[in-house]
Structures are given as structure tokens and as C-alpha cells.
């Protein structure tokens, strides 16, 4: 029995690569670049990490897809995908889920790879070697500069108050908010 959602698919993923089939229902690509694509349905999201995947933001998928997936350094990801007979449709990218740093820590599994928005966080450790730290309500969270281009943003200034759009992930045991572009960081 194959799952009927991304959250169902994620329950099957382990350190060993698995073959899967999943029935998707309006699963939308919320971000895509040459290697990364985030696929999100009504309840969950997952990273598609396939170089040259050809996916674009704002496309929706409904139907059965198959492929391979695994847990890589703590992050659940699809490593190959076959869309079968699914024809992608144009769709609106869902609004980012508004979260706090404590939400991201307490409910990592819920927010993993989901498009999120953290508002009014304090830069507790300025950007250095693609890493920064934000804090909120006495909790800290790592920020990772995925495309190595955020140096001209408010993340470069300790104690700046920022709004961030990104995708929660994990690298080894470290929880991190993956941020891709300068427009995803705003000083408040």
C-alpha cells in the first residue's frame, strides 16, 4: 500500500534508499534551482534533490509519482522521481507558513522542507562561512546560506532584527533554516 500524501511518503524514508510510489494531490513546487526543488502539499513538504531536475516553481502535481528517496544527513529527500502520467498544472505557490523559532525546534518534522516565514528574529551570530544564528524567545536556530550570496543582507549584522523566508532542514544533527536569496531576508 503506497501513501496518499507527502507526509505518508516521509514515514517510509530511512537511511537506506527506498523505492516508492505516492499519490499526490495538488503538490506544488514552492522553490526550484538547478539542484533543489521543494514539493509541498496541504500537510507536508519534501526536498527533491536531483541535479538537472527541470522543475519550476508554481507547478502543481496530482496523480501517482514514483522514484527513490532516503534520509541524507538527517534530511528526508527524494533522490530520483518519475512523474508517470502526471501533467503539471500552473498553480499559486502557497503562502509561507508563519512560524517562530520555538515552533521550528518543537515541530521540526512538521515543518521540514516546508516554505516558512520567521518574523522579528534577532541575529545572534552574524553570517560567517555561510552560517548565521537567529534567536527568538530565548531559543536559537541556525540559518544556512544555500547559494552563498546573502552577505549583503541584515544577516551580516549581529543584533539586527530580521524577517526570513526559507526551508527548514537538517544537516547531521543540526537544524537549520535554508535561505536561498537576498529577497528572502529583510531587516525590520
Amino acid at each position: 500500500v503506497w501513501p496518499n500524501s507527502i507526509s505518508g511518503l516521509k514515514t517510509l524514508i530511512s537511511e537506506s534508499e527506498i523505492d516508492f510510489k505516492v499519490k499526490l494531490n495538488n503538490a506544488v513546487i514552492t522553490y526550484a534551482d538547478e539542484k533543489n526543488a521543494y514539493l509541498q502539499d496541504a500537510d507536508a513538504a519534501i526536498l527533491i534533490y536531483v541535479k538537472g531536475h527541470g522543475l519550476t516553481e508554481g507547478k502543481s502535481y496530482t496523480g501517482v509519482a514514483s522514484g527513490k528517496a532516503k534520509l541524507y544527513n538527517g534530511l528526508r529527500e527524494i533522490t530520483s522521481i518519475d512523474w508517470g502520467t502526471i501533467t503539471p498544472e500552473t498553480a499559486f505557490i502557497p503562502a509561507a507558513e508563519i512560524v517562530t523559532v520555538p515552533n521550528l525546534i518543537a515541530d521540526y518534522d512538521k515543518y521540514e522542507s516546508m516554505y516558512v516565514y520567521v518574523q522579528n528574529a534577532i541575529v545572534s551570530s552574524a553570517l560567517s562561512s555561510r552560517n548565521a544564528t537567529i534567536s527568538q524567545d530565548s531559543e536559537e536556530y541556525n540559518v544556512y546560506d544555500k547559494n552563498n550570496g546573502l552577505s549583503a543582507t541584515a544577516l551580516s549584522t549581529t543584533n539586527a532584527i530580521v524577517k526570513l523566508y526559507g526551508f527548514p532542514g537538517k544537516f547531521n544533527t543540526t537544524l537549520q533554516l535554508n535561505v536561498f536569496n537576498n529577497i528572502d531576508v529583510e531587516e525590520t
Side-chain angles (χ1 to χ4, degrees):
V1 176
W2 295 106
N4 290 320
S5 66
I6 292 172
S7 61
L9 169 61
K10 289 170 79 168
T11 64
L12 302 176
I13 297 174
S14 65
E15 301 247 347
S16 299
E17 192 168 61
I18 63 158
D19 292 311
F20 72 85
K21 281 188 181 178
V22 62
K23 185 169 186 318
L24 300 170
N25 185 22
N26 294 321
V28 178
I29 301 293
T30 55
Y31 174 81
D33 63 21
E34 65 277 353
K35 291 184 284 190
N36 304 280
Y38 289 90
L39 184 66
Q40 182 172 321
D41 64 16
D43 299 316
I46 192 164
L47 171 63
I48 299 171
Y49 189 76
V50 178
K51 191 173 184 177
H53 53 67
L55 300 170
T56 57
E57 295 169 21
K59 294 293 182 181
S60 173
Y61 295 82
T62 297
V64 177
S66 60
K68 295 185 181 297
K70 69 185 251 180
L71 192 65
Y72 180 76
N73 284 324
L75 178 66
R76 293 171 197 92
E77 58 186 50
I78 292 173
T79 55
S80 72
I81 192 155
D82 179 351
W83 297 105
T85 61
I86 298 174
T87 300
E89 297 181 8
T90 300
F92 288 106
I93 295 171
E97 183 80 20
I98 298 171
V99 295
T100 63
V101 167
N103 293 147
L104 292 175
I105 293 168
D107 288 328
Y108 171 75
D109 285 340
K110 175 181 177 180
Y111 296 114
E112 179 187 63
S113 298
M114 190 174 282
Y115 183 43
V116 300
Y117 172 53
V118 179
Q119 49 190 347
N120 301 321
I122 298 168
V123 178
S124 48
S125 176
L127 192 63
S128 173
S129 300
R130 298 176 70 176
N131 292 284
T133 307
I134 56 172
S135 64
Q136 202 173 45
D137 300 328
S138 301
E139 302 258 12
E140 287 196 329
Y141 207 81
N142 293 314
V143 176
Y144 183 65
D145 177 1
K146 274 298 258 192
N147 284 337
N148 199 19
L150 300 179
S151 60
T153 67
L155 285 175
S156 299
T157 308
T158 302
N159 295 323
I161 299 173
V162 295
K163 297 177 188 177
L164 296 168
Y165 290 90
F167 300 86
K170 190 183 278 189
F171 187 76
N172 292 328
T173 58
T174 303
L175 299 179
Q176 63 188 29
L177 184 63
N178 296 304
V179 179
F180 287 87
N181 300 301
N182 281 340
I183 60 169
D184 297 329
V185 179
E186 196 178 310
E187 189 164 9
T188 60

